[in-house]
Amino acid sequence: MATLPEFRWRLAPDGYATRRQLRALGLRPGGQDVAAVLQRPRRRRAPLVAYLYRIDLARPVRPMTPGRTAALVAAMRARRTCPNCRRDAGYCIPRSLGMCVPCADSHT
């Protein structure tokens, strides 16, 4: 089993990118394995780790289809709908409350 190359923070060579950096370029990893690891040291704690992918093996992001758009709209509507009063709260319901804020205030 081969180990991955490790680079220190801000010292990764060109040709590698994180998932977020790939997305900003309009790319996705496309099934490739992690190519390298980036580590940011911290005092008295474990280092922060970022996984790097090769840009030359990345593929373009899939276009948003009407079906995917409809599914995303439905999922966001479900996150905004209070299970108690069944109203659209206008914001994503906090998972810690499990209901909209007015329902949570009247429930306690």
Side-chain angles (χ1 to χ4, degrees):
M1 182 171 143
T3 60
L4 296 174
E6 291 184 7
F7 302 107
R8 288 186 57 87
W9 196 252
R10 299 182 190 260
L11 295 178
D14 292 336
Y16 291 101
T18 63
R19 281 185 179 267
R20 284 188 179 193
Q21 291 169 337
L22 287 176
R23 187 62 176 207
L25 296 171
L27 301 171
R28 61 185 169 96
Q32 65 174 299
D33 292 331
V34 174
V37 177
L38 189 67
Q39 290 195 357
R40 179 180 180 193
R42 298 189 298 175
R43 293 181 194 206
R44 289 179 240 143
R45 290 190 284 176
L48 291 175
V49 176
Y51 298 109
L52 301 174
Y53 300 90
R54 289 182 40 187
I55 295 175
D56 59 338
L57 298 178
R59 295 184 177 169
V61 175
R62 294 185 192 123
M64 189 65 101
T65 63
R68 288 175 69 192
T69 302
L72 183 60
V73 167
M76 292 307 294
R77 187 183 318 114
R79 289 184 66 189
R80 289 190 317 262
T81 304
C82 177
N84 286 356
C85 63
R86 297 287 182 206
R87 287 186 295 182
D88 186 344
Y91 54 86
C92 288
I93 305 293
R95 290 178 59 185
S96 59
L97 298 178
M99 59 188 82
C100 66
V101 175
C103 287
D105 288 343
S106 66
H107 195 268
T108 56

